[in-house]
Amino acid sequence: MTNNIAGKVVIITGASSGIGEATAKLLASKGAKVVLGARRIDRLDAMVDEITKAGGEAACQVMDVTKTADNEAIVMLAKEKFGKVDAIFLNAGLMPASPVSALKTDEWDEMVDVNIKGVLNGVAAVMPSFTEQKSGHVIATSSVAGLKAYPGNGVYCGTKWFVRSFMEVLRMESATEGTNIRTATIYPAAINTELLDTISDEATAEAYHGLYKTYGISPDRIASIVEFALSLPEDTTVNEFTIGPANQPW
């Protein structure tokens, strides 16, 4: 397949570790200009330095996806630094799993804010540019929990089902409106990232750590899917990717 990635300007949220970090480094190695957003500026600065030393191009800024202004600011950074935005990878997410009966309502709110509002804020920030240029690619990380229900993950599942539905509507509306905005929703299973670190319910955390220790695979596997999606010709969309360990019966 032709390398359609070289020269593309790609914004990545949740970029400081895991899937976001792996994707940033892979895309930069393929010639993309990556614009990285996350809460940990030290990690972002280190990544930009590493990418630049390897001959790539990157920029970064501190970002809280729940804040509208931060989403707008990273789009402005991309334009000021590289002149345009071709794609955004909405990857920031939280999974503080627990039974509904545990009533960890603060964690419910956090998941809604990051997993749902974070996606909405990112799309809202980039949509005017994509609409004006009549092109753009929105890629979002959902989860296999966005495809089926898992006990202990009621609220998380709900947020990831939202991403699934919203992204499909965005794809259909863009096709109808003639804006040529493509979408790709990714549904990872057990991928070894920092996602489990947010689980405060002890029994749930123990179960998930055991699951991921048994099955978990590298976030590089997801990065390769983002690379594939961005490599497709402009007239082609693959709108959904479900990916996980070959030996995990998710």
Side-chain angles (χ1 to χ4, degrees), residues 4 12 19 27 29 61 63-64 72 101 127 140 155 158 180:
N4 292 322
I12 301 174
I19 292 170
L27 296 183
S29 75
Q61 72 173 30
M63 180 185 189
D64 180 346
E72 294 171 345
S101 58
M127 183 63 76
V155 177
N180 306 311

Side-chain angles (χ1 to χ4, degrees), residues 2-247:
T2 302
N3 180 9
N4 292 322
I5 294 176
K8 281 188 174 179
V9 178
V10 183
I11 295 171
I12 301 174
T13 69
S16 62
S17 65
I19 292 170
E21 179 181 10
T23 301
K25 292 177 179 178
L26 177 61
L27 296 183
S29 75
K30 300 295 182 179
K33 302 172 183 180
V34 293
V35 182
L36 314 177
R39 297 183 182 184
R40 295 175 290 186
I41 190 60
D42 56 327
R43 297 287 293 270
L44 295 178
D45 284 339
M47 287 174 60
V48 169
D49 185 56
E50 180 181 344
I51 289 169
T52 303
K53 286 181 177 177
E57 295 185 74
C60 71
Q61 72 173 30
V62 171
M63 180 185 189
D64 180 346
V65 297
T66 69
K67 297 180 179 179
T68 301
D70 284 11
N71 287 269
E72 294 171 345
I74 201 166
V75 173
M76 288 302 299
L77 174 64
K79 288 185 170 183
E80 290 169 0
K81 182 78 174 179
F82 300 121
K84 60 175 181 171
V85 181
D86 295 297
I88 187 167
F89 180 27
L90 303 167
N91 174 65
L94 296 175
M95 190 185 72
S98 64
V100 175
S101 58
L103 295 180
K104 292 182 176 290
T105 55
D106 288 345
E107 294 179 355
W108 298 357
D109 289 340
E110 289 175 357
M111 281 187 279
V112 169
D113 286 344
V114 174
N115 299 355
I116 293 180
K117 293 181 181 178
V119 169
L120 294 179
N121 288 339
V123 171
V126 82
M127 183 63 76
S129 299
F130 284 2
T131 300
E132 181 181 4
Q133 66 199 26
K134 292 196 181 304
S135 68
H137 210 148
V138 179
I139 302 173
T141 303
S142 178
S143 167
V144 290
L147 298 172
K148 60 177 71 174
Y150 290 93
N153 248 325
V155 177
Y156 180 75
C157 286
T159 65
K160 293 304 186 177
W161 276 79
F162 171 85
V163 173
R164 178 191 187 192
S165 177
F166 176 77
M167 288 287 285
E168 183 66 352
V169 170
L170 177 61
R171 179 191 68 79
M172 296 172 74
E173 288 182 349
S174 299
T176 302
E177 295 166 3
T179 52
N180 306 311
I181 299 170
R182 297 182 291 160
T183 68
T185 308
I186 302 173
Y187 306 96
I191 308 297
N192 290 323
T193 70
E194 296 179 354
L195 200 62
L196 303 187
D197 295 345
T198 62
I199 301 176
S200 65
D201 185 80
E202 291 185 8
T204 304
E206 183 178 355
Y208 270 93
H209 278 287
L211 176 74
Y212 277 63
K213 184 177 181 180
T214 300
Y215 298 113
I217 57 175
S218 169
D220 293 335
R221 308 297 188 263
I222 306 299
S224 68
I225 296 298
V226 179
E227 177 196 7
F228 175 79
L230 290 171
S231 294
L232 292 168
E234 294 294 321
D235 64 356
T236 304
T237 295
V238 179
N239 64 316
E240 294 186 313
F241 298 90
T242 304
I243 177 172
N247 64 341

